Amino acid sequence: MAIYAQHGYGKSGKIDAALDSGSIDGVIFGARNEKIENIKSCVDNVREKNGKVLLDPQFHVSAINPANDRFLPDYPFYKAGRTSADFIGVKKISSHVKTTLDFELTLQLDKLLSPTVIFDSFESKWCQTALNLADASLDYHASLQGAPPLLLSFVIGEEALESRNELDDFLDQLTSWESMSGAYIIFSREDYSYSQRFKPERLANALYLNYVLASINGLEVINGFTDFCGLLFRSVGSTAFASGWSQGMRQFHTRSFTKQKPGGQQPRLRYTSAPLLNSILLSELQQIYESGNLDQVLSGVPLDEVITGADSPESSDWNAPTSELHHWESLKLIEKQIGEEVPENLSVLDERIATAQELYLMLKNEGVVFGPQTRPDHLEQWSEAIETFREIASL
Amino acid sequence: MPLPTITEGDIKALIPQISSAVEIGHGGQRVVFRATCNGQPIALKFALLSDTFKPDHEDLEVAILRAQRETQILRECTSPHMVKLGPIGMGTTCIAGQNILYYSEEFIDGQTLNDWLRSDGPLHAKEVVRLGLQMCSAIADLWSLRKIHRDIKPGNIMRRSDGTGYVLLDAGLAFDVAGESISAGFLVGTMAYFSPEQFDYTNRRAMDFRSDMFSLGVTLYEAATGQHPFFTPTTTVTHLFSKIMKQNPVPPSSINSAIPATFDKVILRMMGKSPHLRYRRIEQLRDALAQLQEDL
């Protein structure tokens, strides 16, 4: 029912433009990427535009060493280099919770997000720490009068999704908290390269997690740092998802929060194609144009005019800001068509995937060559994941 | 070790307030008497203590104190559908060399749901919903004290003969999820009504009221259809375990066409294989049943 902008580095006018165009419904600010002295005005600005606002405190970065934490050290709840010893005992856990939520309460946020730590196994001590932080957050939130609703945050390494039994136990635990009203879920991706691929068995369990929390247990679920997969999660009942303007804000990687050697390439221009269910390179769109099939891959959103109004994609004024806004517009277009009935949503997804596969095949036959990250591999994975999900959810 | 024979004379000698006692039920390590205490009928229950506790692992006195504490908590239950403790407090005695635990409950004039189903067949859909709502009240009452019953089944539900409804019995087996219980160390209850998580003894502390919800779902299924969802006379223990863990039962409406499809949805959800697939709050189940009641 909503798409949020996942705030990251270099917001410039992107948020305003996206809110004005209606392609996003709100913003999840990241404390790491905004100076503490500016965060209030950022929040107020979104509220003035009637957007929804959340602040991801990104508390989890404190347990990454060495952390690429940018402005986080200025925030009162953050301390670099926390270790497991910093989470032993009720007093320490309660203190982390109080400092984090108290800071969030100084802002006019629509929901509070609890502090958490990253874990890559439901059996790990870090998962237990995440659960302790969540439990303590519920307790502290219950003592606050008139506070916004609380969403419990979890950053789950996708490797954790390998074990269905462990996931079941985790879900049993979460749903036993009667005062829980929702969750902010981030899947930390294993593959650092930007693509829509997701190992089917893991994606099936990710779908199951969203389905159980949102559809079965009626909790509000927001998926952070997601991209096209957010549409899959929405289809099984999650309430909203957040996607950023840069590739690093569309998928969560711990590497993004770890100090790296300087360098790296400037990202290449992309075009988000709703029919292909992928974000392809502009050079690939040019090939498609040259094969005479441009109309079939266009998303059908207002910003397509930048492409269609020019002689060719590569000769158009297509640039990074346009591409970023267009990405949200395209996601929003599909998101708006998602209904409330999970089986029906899955059938629609099946059709979309089949159509995208046919389109990819036709383009291949026309000589269009896609790169390793923009090939249709993800479509088969999604299809397999949906089938597995249907089985485990008895749908 | 079988429970030794307990006579009316034994009881009168043990509890002078008792003027009469007639055995009305005997099963396993327990026996139940209909007794008269100060002119009022009560149910007086005796259980073999040495089989209920593990005296080799813990001090008997400590265990008895814990059991007394638990029954005291149960005294706080307010639901009219939860059996009340009787005037005779929990105590212990020794008969024929055996340690025996005894306690009393209110006497309920009626018959067990199990007996009723055997003699009269399945309940009407409306009555099943009424049963469900009343048992919800009992489960909610226990859960407000952070306790679960662990043995909800037709044999532990009394149908009052005055038609006012149902009462959940055997609260003495209620399990304190935060600590030990009088049944510590044992898988209690009847396996055919066990929730999947009840088979995992090592995981017992993770259990909550949703386990009772599963058992109630099985009970309502049986009450509505006359058939147990997992058990038939030829079912082996292994097969029963496997069915409870993995098999989704057929919808009740496919057995009894008088049952509406909306009813299927509620009952089958109560019997979700994992707690997270069931209702998260007992109020949600109560609302769902109330809606069914309105629709019927």
Side-chain angles (χ1 to χ4, degrees):
Chain A
M1 287 170 269
I3 293 182
Y4 288 86
Q6 190 89 50
H7 165 245
Y9 176 71
K11 68 177 180 301
S12 59
K14 295 180 181 78
I15 290 174
D16 285 354
L19 282 169
D20 291 342
S21 70
S23 53
I24 58 168
D25 305 277
V27 181
I28 301 178
F29 282 103
R32 172 176 168 263
N33 288 307
E34 199 58 65
K35 288 180 180 171
I36 189 168
E37 57 267 31
N38 293 342
I39 192 72
K40 187 178 181 308
S41 62
C42 290
V43 168
D44 293 345
N45 181 52
V46 175
R47 291 194 74 84
E48 278 168 23
K49 290 181 176 292
N50 295 318
K52 298 171 185 173
V53 203
L54 285 72
L55 173 73
D56 182 347
Q58 298 179 311
F59 180 92
H60 51 78
V61 181
S62 66
I64 294 176
N65 197 16
N68 177 13
D69 48 14
R70 300 200 73 222
F71 300 123
L72 273 169
D74 296 336
Y75 285 81
F77 50 81
Y78 183 83
K79 187 185 143 200
R82 283 190 175 116
T83 65
S84 54
D86 291 298
F87 299 96
I88 295 172
V90 176
K91 271 188 185 172
K92 286 179 186 169
I93 293 278
S94 301
S95 168
H96 296 320
V97 164
K98 185 178 185 316
T99 327
T100 309
L101 295 185
D102 281 353
F103 179 78
E104 290 185 52
L105 283 167
T106 64
L107 305 168
Q108 293 284 305
L109 301 168
D110 286 284
K111 319 266 178 200
L112 302 180
L113 300 181
S114 70
T116 193
V117 289
I118 304 168
F119 60 88
D120 54 18
S121 158
F122 291 114
E123 297 280 280
S124 69
K125 67 177 179 187
W126 286 109
C127 178
Q128 192 51 54
T129 302
L131 288 168
N132 289 344
L133 285 164
D135 195 14
S137 297
L138 285 174
D139 283 349
Y140 184 59
H141 184 259
S143 73
L144 301 171
Q145 298 231 325
L150 173 74
L151 302 184
L152 299 181
S153 306
F154 293 99
V155 184
I156 304 169
E158 67 166 279
E159 307 93 306
L161 298 169
E162 291 277 346
S163 169
R164 181 60 208 295
N165 287 341
E166 288 173 16
L167 173 62
D168 278 347
D169 290 346
F170 179 74
L171 290 171
D172 285 345
Q173 174 65 62
L174 251 56
T175 53
S176 74
W177 288 328
E178 291 173 51
S179 59
M180 179 181 178
S181 66
Y184 172 58
I185 305 281
I186 295 169
F187 295 113
S188 175
R189 304 300 310 277
E190 199 175 44
D191 185 357
Y192 291 131
S193 55
Y194 175 72
S195 80
Q196 309 306 326
R197 289 193 294 262
F198 208 132
K199 287 184 181 171
E201 67 275 20
R202 294 179 180 181
L203 179 56
N205 281 337
L207 290 170
Y208 183 73
L209 181 146
N210 277 285
Y211 171 73
V212 164
L213 294 181
S215 285
I216 299 290
N217 287 280
L219 296 164
E220 175 169 7
V221 179
I222 299 179
N223 291 103
F225 289 86
T226 185
D227 200 15
F228 276 93
C229 280
L231 297 167
L232 274 66
F233 300 146
R234 274 281 294 111
S235 297
V236 297
S238 81
T239 327
F241 65 92
S243 187
W245 46 85
S246 70
Q247 292 168 20
M249 294 291 125
R250 292 177 189 174
Q251 291 177 349
F252 185 99
H253 300 292
T254 48
R255 197 175 74 161
S256 307
F257 297 91
T258 310
K259 270 211 166 80
Q260 306 285 332
K261 286 178 186 164
Q265 290 178 329
Q266 197 64 9
R268 287 187 284 172
L269 277 179
R270 285 176 177 267
Y271 175 87
T272 296
S273 167
L276 288 175
L277 295 172
N278 208 347
S279 188
I280 61 173
L281 298 172
L282 190 66
S283 55
E284 292 164 346
L285 190 68
Q286 179 70 23
Q287 285 185 63
I288 294 167
Y289 162 76
E290 286 165 7
S291 72
N293 294 294
L294 182 65
D295 286 351
Q296 298 195 59
V297 300
L298 292 177
S299 285
V301 295
L303 278 172
D304 280 345
E305 277 181 23
V306 179
I307 300 281
T308 54
D311 289 343
S312 73
E314 284 188 331
S315 67
S316 72
D317 292 334
W318 195 256
N319 54 28
T322 308
S323 167
E324 289 150 2
L325 282 175
H326 178 268
H327 184 69
W328 280 319
E329 277 189 356
S330 302
L331 292 178
K332 185 71 180 174
L333 179 81
I334 305 174
E335 195 268 347
K336 278 198 289 195
Q337 293 162 15
I338 297 171
E340 293 199 349
E341 297 299 321
V342 174
E344 280 77 356
N345 289 341
L346 292 179
S347 299
V348 172
L349 262 178
D350 284 338
E351 283 171 28
R352 277 191 179 281
I353 291 168
T355 306
Q357 283 174 318
E358 283 168 20
L359 191 51
Y360 260 111
L361 185 63
M362 185 272 284
L363 293 170
K364 184 187 171 191
N365 292 338
E366 295 278 337
V368 177
V369 179
F370 289 95
Q373 309 304 333
T374 50
R375 283 177 195 151
D377 309 6
H378 64 291
L379 296 171
E380 201 175 328
Q381 290 183 322
W382 290 5
S383 206
E384 197 181 324
I386 290 169
E387 209 41 53
T388 306
F389 164 72
R390 277 197 181 101
E391 279 172 32
I392 58 180
S394 303
L395 289 170
Chain B
M1 185 74 70
L3 189 72
T5 304
I6 300 171
T7 65
E8 187 178 19
D10 291 333
I11 295 172
K12 284 179 176 174
L14 177 68
I15 313 163
Q17 306 96 298
I18 300 291
S19 56
S20 70
V22 179
E23 186 180 315
I24 53 170
H26 198 131
Q29 310 300 317
R30 299 197 302 160
V31 62
V32 185
F33 289 84
R34 178 186 169 149
T36 306
C37 177
N38 297 327
Q40 295 296 315
I42 61 165
L44 193 57
K45 299 190 170 183
F46 292 85
L48 194 61
L49 195 52
S50 50
D51 270 21
T52 308
F53 295 105
K54 296 165 75 180
D56 51 331
H57 289 131
E58 62 183 53
D59 180 70
L60 199 59
E61 291 299 315
V62 174
I64 292 165
L65 280 173
R66 188 183 296 128
Q68 285 172 336
R69 217 164 44 228
E70 283 195 17
T71 50
Q72 183 55 39
I73 292 172
L74 289 174
R75 216 174 268 282
E76 294 168 22
C77 286
T78 55
S79 167
H81 305 291
M82 188 79 217
V83 70
K84 301 289 178 294
L85 288 173
I88 310 298
M90 182 175 276
T92 57
T93 186
C94 186
I95 298 174
Q98 299 289 329
N99 288 318
I100 310 280
L101 176 88
Y102 64 87
Y103 61 99
S104 67
E105 288 178 353
E106 66 174 312
F107 179 78
I108 293 157
D109 187 16
Q111 65 182 136
T112 66
L113 179 61
N114 198 40
D115 290 343
W116 179 271
L117 293 175
R118 282 184 186 186
S119 60
D120 289 64
L123 304 180
H124 289 293
K126 267 190 176 178
E127 189 62 10
V128 177
V129 173
R130 185 166 84 117
L131 166 65
L133 281 165
Q134 295 187 354
M135 289 304 102
C136 267
S137 157
I139 293 172
D141 202 11
L142 276 172
W143 187 239
S144 71
L145 302 165
R146 285 298 176 262
K147 286 183 174 294
I148 56 177
H149 188 283
R150 300 222 307 167
D151 199 20
I152 293 176
K153 59 183 180 181
N156 272 340
I157 296 171
M158 286 294 284
R159 189 177 198 272
R160 288 189 189 273
S161 54
D162 62 6
T164 54
Y166 302 87
V167 177
L168 182 59
L169 303 180
D170 260 345
L173 292 178
F175 189 81
D176 180 350
V177 289
E180 299 295 327
S181 84
I182 58 169
S183 52
F186 288 86
L187 286 172
V188 294
T190 307
M191 216 190 236
Y193 298 86
F194 267 14
S195 64
E197 61 270 26
Q198 265 181 289
F199 286 98
D200 180 8
Y201 172 65
T202 58
N203 195 32
R204 74 192 198 284
R205 282 172 202 281
M207 288 205 301
D208 56 35
F209 71 92
R210 292 176 294 183
S211 176
D212 282 348
M213 189 186 289
F214 182 95
S215 304
L216 178 59
V218 177
T219 301
L220 296 187
Y221 188 107
E222 194 175 352
T225 63
Q227 288 180 22
H228 193 283
F230 308 112
F231 182 77
T232 64
T234 56
T235 308
T236 62
V237 172
T238 317
H239 198 195
L240 174 67
F241 170 78
S242 166
K243 280 178 158 181
I244 291 175
M245 298 303 280
K246 293 177 189 160
Q247 184 183 295
N248 290 320
V250 297
S253 63
S254 67
I255 300 170
N256 179 355
S257 56
I259 299 290
T262 45
F263 186 95
D264 289 344
K265 207 175 164 185
V266 176
I267 300 291
L268 295 178
R269 181 162 172 189
M270 291 171 77
M271 289 193 288
K273 297 298 180 196
S274 293
H276 63 249
L277 293 171
R278 301 173 207 146
Y279 292 93
R280 192 161 73 95
R281 297 195 190 98
I282 195 73
E283 295 81 8
Q284 290 176 325
L285 172 59
R286 197 171 54 205
D287 292 348
L289 288 168
Q291 186 62 51
L292 283 179
Q293 194 174 43
E294 217 175 288
D295 296 344
L296 284 167

